[in-house]
Amino acid sequence: MQRLQRKRIVLGVGGGIAAYKSAELIRRLRDQGAEVRVVMTRAAREFITPLTLQALSGHPVFNDLLDPAAEAAMGHIELAKWADLVLIAPATADLMARLAQGIADDLLTTLVLATDAPVALAPAMNQAMWRDAATQANAELLVQRGMRLFGPAAGSQACGDVGPGRMLEADELAQRAADCFARGLLTGCRVLITAGPTQEAIDPVRYITNHSSGKMGFALAEAAAEAGAQVTLVSGPVHLVTPQRVERVNVVSARDMLAACEAAMPCEILIAAAAVADYRPEVIASQKMKKDPGSDDGLTLRMVRNPDILATLAQRADRPFSVGFAAETENLLDYAARKLRDKNLDLIVANDVANPSIGFNSEENAITIIDRQLQQNSFPQTSKGKIARQLVAFIAERYHRN
Ligand code: C5P
């Protein structure tokens, strides 16, 4: 299916080594039926020639703001109006900083200010540059203003580093571009998502927690918002950018998370992806607990059970369509089926956290969804973003069938 049939995409190409992937991206966008016009920054032309991108897009490439010939063919304001989507790939740290500041000193940045179309950025840079507080603040600001971030992915980089900052592959970017136009499977639905770990204080310095990066919950929030849902994301402490059009509530402990979820009710769909601590210390010391210098004795903490957030919400009279996760290291499907029944769920998503390639901090996941009839649907290993979109589509279909 050509998911971008007759869609008009302005592809902005920034100056980074990932610009070579933009050539492939033009082909993938056109394969999906899109019309593509390319705008390059001056730095981009150091990495790839306009001629290459002209040949692939089938149209002259726009380079300069003050080029009379280009302005005569299609002025920059006309181009801004022509676009159904502006996709910037690669979006360098410098380009993101200029966009965050509203600087309009070249054709691409001017066009972004002038357009009413959605703008999506595919960041590509060295991992330390991506992690830098300035870049993170710019990314957060751009998302708050309604721009979409596609990626970045993590992995090995052209400079030899390993980490987040790789531009997504052309195929994935073309899919994401198509998702921007997808008719909302969840339009009008309120979706509540829990994500990340909880932290249970022992004293003002120490706490007990679970492994969880929050990536799966955040990817689900992004996918549900893309599907048109009104999303509330209740998150434990994580280092992730809030997806656009998602209302985020930050919490620390399991009890905070339950209170925030109850405050966000009613909703039509609940997806509990948080790794909630099952126990908390019975007493939280008000001062830092000191070691006894004269003794090697250990410490005994008495722990009490935390509330089960998912089970609590799934038992309410106004219970939402409830989806839980079962992260297990053994007997995955048995334990998952038991949880589905015990917590009164509609669906449970089983994932095998003993496998390091799809575990807690990885970029990928593979899941099996089990329904009340104990029917299983498996989704093979792929990026958490893709799995999230598949899962949201599955949940939407089952919710509407209900
Ligand atoms: O019982 P277990 O922790 O394995 O169940 C996992 C599922 O239950 C997940 O969906 C998790 O978000 C949810 N859960 C919860 N509150 C708890 C414990 C788990 O919402 N206290």
Side-chain angles (χ1 to χ4, degrees):
M1 189 174 73
Q2 289 197 310
R3 296 180 65 214
L4 288 167
Q5 190 82 56
R6 289 189 303 277
K7 294 288 183 269
R8 296 160 157 189
I9 298 182
V10 168
L11 176 65
V13 182
I17 185 64
Y20 79 91
K21 292 192 197 171
S22 310
E24 182 67 18
L25 176 57
I26 295 170
R27 299 199 58 175
R28 295 285 85 86
L29 293 170
R30 294 190 71 192
D31 287 349
Q32 298 271 347
E35 255 193 80
V36 182
R37 298 283 193 281
V38 179
V39 177
M40 299 178 80
T41 64
R42 185 193 305 272
R45 302 199 291 274
E46 304 291 332
F47 289 91
I48 187 163
T49 69
L51 195 60
T52 305
L53 302 190
Q54 172 173 324
L56 290 167
S57 67
H59 293 277
V61 167
F62 296 84
N63 289 312
D64 294 313
L65 189 53
L66 304 173
D67 175 354
E71 282 293 303
M74 191 190 301
H76 63 278
I77 299 293
E78 221 177 320
L79 189 58
K81 288 191 177 141
W82 176 86
D84 293 319
L85 171 71
V86 177
L87 170 58
I88 302 183
T92 59
D94 173 70
L95 192 47
M96 288 175 65
R98 289 193 290 135
L99 293 173
Q101 288 302 312
I103 291 171
D105 60 353
D106 63 6
L107 177 58
L108 183 55
T109 49
T110 305
L111 192 136
V112 169
L113 285 189
T115 192
D116 283 334
V119 178
L121 307 173
M125 66 196 73
N126 165 269
Q127 53 84 23
M129 293 172 75
W130 171 251
R131 288 189 221 262
D132 187 86
T135 307
Q136 287 298 307
N138 289 333
E140 181 87 42
L141 186 65
L142 292 169
V143 168
Q144 272 170 19
R145 290 192 188 141
M147 291 194 194
R148 295 153 200 235
L149 279 190
F150 294 170
S156 61
Q157 303 201 299
C159 54
D161 280 7
V162 177
R166 276 169 63 90
M167 188 163 94
L168 294 184
E169 298 303 326
D171 262 338
E172 170 95 24
L173 287 174
Q175 289 305 331
R176 296 283 193 106
D179 289 344
C180 293
F181 301 102
R183 255 201 50 238
L185 293 168
L186 290 175
T187 301
C189 282
R190 290 163 298 184
V191 176
L192 173 60
I193 298 177
T194 67
T198 65
Q199 285 178 0
E200 310 298 330
I202 297 171
D203 66 19
V205 180
R206 305 179 178 93
Y207 58 80
I208 289 171
T209 191
N210 282 339
H211 284 297
S212 172
S213 62
K215 284 175 193 160
M216 195 62 222
F218 275 60
L220 283 163
E222 184 169 1
E226 264 171 23
Q230 185 185 321
V231 182
T232 305
L233 174 63
V234 178
S235 175
V238 294
H239 300 282
L240 294 173
V241 176
T242 312
Q244 68 162 4
R245 289 168 296 152
V246 167
E247 187 185 332
R248 173 170 173 180
V249 182
N250 288 325
V251 295
V252 177
S253 70
R255 287 187 296 176
D256 295 344
M257 187 173 269
L258 176 59
C261 288
E262 284 176 329
M265 289 290 285
C267 67
E268 280 75 37
I269 297 175
L270 164 68
I271 309 176
V276 183
D278 290 317
Y279 302 93
R280 67 177 183 277
E282 184 172 37
V283 183
I284 304 174
S286 59
Q287 302 296 333
K288 181 178 175 188
M289 292 160 67
K290 304 305 288 180
K291 295 185 283 286
D292 178 355
S295 145
D296 281 338
D297 282 355
L299 169 72
T300 304
L301 278 177
R302 204 185 129 66
M303 310 280 282
V304 292
R305 277 294 282 269
N306 262 331
D308 190 309
I309 298 159
L310 175 57
T312 306
L313 298 177
Q315 268 152 24
R316 287 168 56 121
D318 61 352
R319 84 182 275 287
F321 185 89
S322 301
V323 183
F325 273 75
E328 303 290 347
T329 54
E330 56 175 2
N331 298 338
L332 179 62
L333 299 177
D334 281 354
Y335 285 149
R338 202 174 303 169
K339 244 167 241 184
L340 174 89
R341 193 189 57 224
D342 293 348
K343 297 189 192 223
N344 190 27
L345 308 181
D346 296 285
L347 298 172
I348 191 143
V349 182
N351 66 328
D352 176 6
V353 289
N355 176 349
S357 69
I358 56 172
F360 293 112
N361 213 4
S362 68
E363 295 300 319
E364 301 210 328
N365 208 348
I367 56 170
T368 299
I369 307 177
I370 304 175
D371 65 17
R372 279 181 184 260
Q373 285 69 46
L374 300 184
Q375 273 175 352
Q376 298 176 10
N377 289 271
S378 292
F379 294 83
Q381 180 165 348
T382 182
S383 72
K384 284 186 173 170
K386 240 184 216 168
I387 286 270
R389 289 198 297 282
Q390 292 167 342
L391 187 49
V392 162
F394 188 92
I395 292 170
E397 194 269 320
R398 289 304 179 96
Y399 165 72
H400 289 301
R401 201 199 281 183
N402 241 22

